[in-house]
Amino acid sequence: MTNFDWQPLLLTLRLATVTTGLLLLVGIPLAGWLAFTRFRLKPAVEAVISLPLVLPPSVLGFYFLLAFSPTGFLGAKLLSWFDLRLLFTFEGLVVASLFYSLPFMVHPVQAGLENLPASLREAAYTLGKSPRETFLRVLLPNIKPSLLTGVVLSFAHTIGEFGLVLMIGGNLPGQTRVASVAIYDEVELLHYDTANVYALLLLAVSFGILLAVYAINRRWVIF
């Protein structure tokens, strides 16, 4: 086996952690809005959010590549206004991962909120709670299993990204070379032993995370 490098694994965990943290800030309010809004175009918004579930990652990666390019409209504006380059950078991976993993945060939280009885909100309003207080202190504490599911699925899904991160980030060691890309590299070089180590570690992490969430959710249901 060739020399094993821990850097791709650490970068993968960093990407998954940052992405999941940002998804908590973005996905939970979005899920709350979708759960209770009567907006006529709600199905269209839900369809856009769900696109990563059905589109090949390479399709999303291709369009992000065009958008983030310094010659593209968005990429050019970010470069000229903020001196920010997203192609082949860790920041670009984070932005792309936010969109790619968004449904895995939004859908469980939205479903949890929609399954709560309407009387819960009505009682909170009757007691003088504001909509914000009701959402943060009444509704969210009652959907802990949904929140945990969203966090775990978002984290695990980001760990498993390949096509999207390869197109947006390329293969820069220490910057964009995540574990899934490292596995691909090692297989191409016929270093199957090293690829197997990366694969087994990702398998162990993903299985451990899913096992923990099922066990915790089962305990919450029982108690």
Side-chain angles (χ1 to χ4, degrees):
M1 184 176 73
T2 58
N3 292 330
F4 182 78
D5 185 6
W6 286 95
Q7 200 167 53
L9 285 170
L10 296 176
L11 187 64
T12 300
L13 294 176
R14 180 186 169 204
L15 175 63
T17 301
V18 172
T19 299
T20 304
L22 292 175
L23 281 174
L24 281 171
L25 298 176
V26 175
I28 291 178
L30 181 57
W33 179 77
L34 288 172
F36 304 121
T37 186
R38 294 184 179 179
F39 184 49
R40 291 178 59 185
L41 296 180
K42 174 182 172 180
V45 176
E46 291 177 317
V48 171
I49 292 173
S50 300
L51 276 176
L53 298 175
V54 295
L55 276 179
S58 55
V59 173
L60 291 175
F62 172 70
Y63 285 111
F64 277 126
L65 188 66
L66 295 180
F68 294 167
S69 170
T71 58
F73 177 78
L74 179 60
K77 294 300 182 184
L78 290 174
L79 191 59
S80 62
W81 291 350
F82 306 106
D83 194 26
L84 178 63
R85 184 185 298 271
L86 294 180
L87 274 188
F88 310 118
T89 64
F90 180 79
E91 291 77 12
L93 292 185
V94 171
V95 173
S97 297
L98 281 174
F99 286 95
Y100 187 52
S101 295
L102 185 61
F104 294 89
M105 178 66 74
V106 171
H107 288 172
V109 177
Q110 180 184 351
L113 290 170
E114 290 175 341
N115 287 329
L116 291 176
S119 58
L120 195 61
R121 279 197 301 158
E122 294 168 359
Y125 293 153
T126 302
L127 293 172
K129 300 289 186 183
S130 67
R132 181 179 179 182
E133 277 186 304
T134 300
F135 184 71
L136 294 176
R137 298 185 179 182
V138 178
L139 302 184
L140 291 185
N142 279 281
I143 60 164
K144 289 179 182 177
S146 299
L147 291 171
L148 180 62
T149 300
V151 168
V152 170
L153 289 181
S154 300
F155 190 89
H157 189 250
T158 305
I159 286 178
E161 290 177 16
F162 173 68
L164 181 67
V165 297
L166 184 61
M167 294 194 73
I168 297 299
N171 187 8
L172 302 178
Q175 298 182 50
T176 62
R177 188 175 186 255
V178 295
S180 56
V181 175
I183 293 172
Y184 179 78
D185 284 346
E186 298 299 339
V187 170
E188 277 201 320
L189 295 171
L190 303 181
H191 297 159
Y192 295 124
D193 290 341
T194 305
N196 187 45
V197 173
Y198 282 121
L200 284 175
L201 286 171
L202 287 184
L203 176 62
V205 170
S206 299
F207 179 77
I209 290 173
L210 292 175
L211 180 63
V213 72
Y214 281 121
I216 294 172
N217 276 346
R218 179 180 175 85
R219 183 177 179 182
W220 276 340
V221 168
I222 292 175
F223 292 101

